[in-house]
Amino acid sequence: MTLIVILVFLMLITLFAVSVLHRIQQRQRQRRLEQRRLRIQVEELTDVVNCLEQTLPNRVITKHINDMIIALQHQMLALEDNNRERLESAILKSELYSEELINPKNRQGISYQRDSDAQIAKTQLYINEAVNLMVQLAAQGTINEVELDSYQAELRWAYLMVSVMSYIAQGDKSVAISDRLAFYRKAQHLLMESMHQDPRRLQMIKELSEMIDGERVGLSSALREMAPAA
């Protein structure tokens, strides 16, 4: 009888230990899945940031998205048991990068122009994602409604300019006059189809007409500048 009691007791201990081990494994699995989800989000946002850094004159928008990366990295750090130094280093790097983005001296290499249709499409995809991210930030209270409207207007202008400026650049490089005019007309058609309220749109349509008619050799410097409209 005593032996039976001991065996039952040992069996109960074993079952309890197995249950505890199973719960530990479940928590570890859930933690790994959450870490993986956060890591994928960071990678996706990093692609958006890298694109906007090369494209968008207003670096504040890019900084907002980079700050979202920092927040996700802090969540990853809270879930990390080992190798915390790597994540802490990554967070520090992201924080320094946010400071660099709003440094007025760090404005080199910004251009709407892309060299291929594939690059145009990829850039516009990231710009659209940035528009959605601004909506998320507004919902969280990070930016207000006025900032949301302003940022979305800038991003939609950038979306339009990526195609327009790329077509104009292709036209500038064309040797044949017919090819050059075709690219200018493509750029002008996009501007005429757009309902964007930026005052530069109508001026650009006018100057492109003059370029097509041979009355102008290129866009005015004011339109080629990357600064947002006042």
Side-chain angles (χ1 to χ4, degrees):
M1 184 66 179
T2 303
L3 181 59
I4 294 174
V5 172
I6 292 172
L7 290 174
V8 170
F9 180 71
L10 290 174
M11 183 178 66
L12 291 174
I13 291 176
T14 302
L15 290 173
F16 177 77
V18 169
S19 177
V20 170
L21 180 61
H22 177 71
R23 285 199 295 269
I24 292 172
Q25 290 174 337
Q26 281 287 95
R27 284 197 296 269
Q28 289 176 339
R29 188 179 298 109
Q30 290 173 355
R31 180 172 59 84
R32 287 195 298 270
L33 287 173
E34 181 65 8
Q35 286 176 318
R36 183 175 182 275
R37 184 186 69 81
L38 292 169
R39 185 168 61 252
I40 291 172
Q41 281 187 269
V42 166
E43 291 170 356
E44 291 173 347
L45 290 181
T46 299
D47 289 339
V48 176
V49 165
N50 290 339
C51 173
L52 295 185
E53 183 196 10
Q54 301 169 19
T55 311
L56 206 63
N58 188 349
R59 295 296 185 91
V60 175
I61 296 174
T62 311
K63 181 184 180 300
H64 276 305
I65 300 175
N66 193 67
D67 289 344
M68 294 176 74
I69 291 175
I70 295 171
L72 291 172
Q73 288 174 327
H74 276 291
Q75 291 181 44
M76 293 170 65
L77 183 63
L79 294 169
E80 187 61 54
D81 291 334
N82 303 311
N83 200 18
R84 292 174 60 87
E85 293 80 7
R86 179 182 60 82
L87 271 172
E88 289 169 349
S89 176
I91 291 171
L92 178 59
K93 183 178 179 182
S94 296
E95 290 172 343
L96 291 173
Y97 183 53
S98 274
E99 294 178 9
E100 290 176 11
L101 283 170
I102 55 175
N103 185 342
K105 297 180 180 179
N106 182 29
R107 299 187 61 81
Q108 298 180 354
I110 302 175
S111 175
Y112 292 129
Q113 180 186 332
R114 295 296 182 269
D115 296 329
S116 68
D117 289 344
Q119 290 182 12
I120 291 172
K122 188 174 183 179
T123 299
Q124 290 178 329
L125 178 68
Y126 288 138
I127 291 173
N128 270 340
E129 180 60 24
V131 171
N132 295 331
L133 291 169
M134 293 303 104
V135 174
Q136 289 183 31
L137 290 175
Q140 296 167 6
T142 304
I143 61 176
N144 59 41
E145 289 298 322
V146 174
E147 290 171 320
L148 174 62
D149 290 343
S150 175
Y151 294 160
Q152 287 187 320
E154 288 186 50
L155 287 164
R156 287 174 179 138
W157 177 254
Y159 183 98
L160 177 62
M161 285 298 100
V162 167
S163 292
V164 169
M165 287 302 192
S166 297
Y167 285 144
I168 292 173
Q170 290 179 56
D172 291 344
K173 294 176 183 176
S174 297
V175 175
I177 294 177
S178 59
D179 291 342
R180 185 181 312 152
L181 296 182
F183 282 119
Y184 292 162
R185 288 192 181 99
K186 277 185 178 181
Q188 188 182 53
H189 181 68
L190 288 173
L191 288 162
M192 293 173 70
E193 278 192 327
S194 173
M195 300 299 291
H196 203 290
Q197 298 301 307
D198 194 299
R200 290 171 294 183
R201 183 177 69 88
L202 295 178
Q203 181 61 27
M204 194 173 289
I205 291 172
K206 177 179 178 294
E207 291 191 12
L208 278 167
S209 291
E210 294 171 354
M211 290 165 64
I212 291 168
D213 293 339
E215 300 171 3
R216 172 186 288 275
V217 295
L219 292 177
S220 60
S221 58
L223 290 180
R224 286 189 177 274
E225 289 175 357
M226 297 295 294

